[in-house]
Amino acid sequence: TTHGGGSGANVASWLAIEGTEAAFVGRRGSDIAGRNRDMELMGYGVDARLVMDSERPTGTCVVLITHKGDRTMLSDPGANGALLPDDIERCRDLFHAGTHLHLSGYALINEGSRKAAMYCLDLARKAGMSISVDGGSSSPLKRMGAEPFLEWTQGARLLIVNAKEAEVLTGRDTPDQAAKVLTAWYPEVVISSAFQ
């Protein structure tokens, strides 16, 4: 089956469904998948701010799930992997005190979108917004290294990770031990055991 998704889009959609004003900033291809994701987000009530990329397709992630519920993900960020600071600048009206930024860790992990992600964090800090960030995915997070991620997300109020991402960020192999380390960096930490 084919569904819209991505951690940032999922957060925005769930917030909008619950009645919270939510906007999503990203890039999409000039293809049918991109148009469908744009319409899907708007259908959920999300203020979709998707820049159309004429060179790259809309991002795709193939998720394989075993009978035990274990997942393997094959991800291609496509157009979203080329998110630019200029794309964020076009949405500057979203950055003001009293609002919240949730940043997908994938945007930081992906070298092509990293500058845009850093620009988002900078605008949010300067505006006095609250910030949350998720860990993205454990394998690419491990390749990138914990130190840069922790440094870049300094000042975020909430970190949302699964147990494997928490282990990558802390070197601790139990969620309890990892949480003790992570709360030195973030006032609030959520470590899920699902989707390891």
Side-chain angles (χ1 to χ4, degrees):
T1 60
T2 303
H3 305 278
S7 63
N10 290 342
V11 168
S13 297
W14 281 110
L15 287 170
I17 287 169
E18 292 297 318
T20 300
E21 282 187 47
F24 176 80
V25 179
R27 287 178 80 87
R28 70 171 183 90
S30 59
D31 49 28
I32 191 75
R35 191 189 69 181
N36 287 345
R37 298 302 72 86
D38 208 343
M39 299 298 287
E40 191 173 26
L41 285 167
M42 288 189 286
Y44 286 125
V46 175
D47 177 2
R49 310 265 185 116
L50 300 176
V51 175
M52 195 179 315
D53 189 317
S54 60
E55 297 177 18
R56 295 168 188 82
T58 299
T60 303
C61 184
V62 176
V63 182
L64 306 171
I65 305 173
T66 70
H67 66 285
K68 294 180 181 179
D70 297 325
R71 297 185 322 164
T72 299
M73 299 171 73
L74 310 169
S75 180
D76 176 2
N80 224 30
L83 189 66
L84 302 170
D86 284 350
D87 299 334
I88 306 304
E89 183 62 29
R90 291 185 186 117
C91 303
R92 196 178 185 113
D93 62 298
L94 298 172
F95 293 83
H96 54 85
T99 59
H100 180 81
L101 170 69
H102 175 74
L103 183 70
S104 167
Y106 286 106
L108 285 169
I109 292 169
N110 185 303
E111 199 172 332
S113 58
R114 188 173 299 145
K115 285 183 182 175
M118 299 292 288
Y119 189 60
C120 267
L121 289 169
D122 187 50
L123 285 178
R125 288 180 188 117
K126 287 178 180 172
M129 297 169 65
S130 57
I131 301 169
S132 61
V133 64
D134 64 56
S137 179
S138 61
S139 293
L141 187 59
K142 187 174 185 176
R143 283 192 298 273
M144 184 184 73
E147 263 185 56
F149 185 89
L150 294 169
E151 183 181 316
W152 295 333
T153 59
Q154 193 169 12
R157 180 177 181 83
L158 170 64
L159 173 70
I160 304 167
V161 289
N162 65 33
K164 283 189 177 181
E165 294 158 1
E167 183 178 349
V168 168
L169 289 173
T170 65
R172 305 301 194 275
D173 58 2
T174 69
D176 286 345
Q177 293 171 340
K180 288 178 183 172
V181 174
L182 291 171
T183 53
W185 288 89
Y186 309 95
E188 298 176 58
V189 176
V190 174
I191 301 176
S192 70
S193 58
F195 308 124
Q196 294 183 36

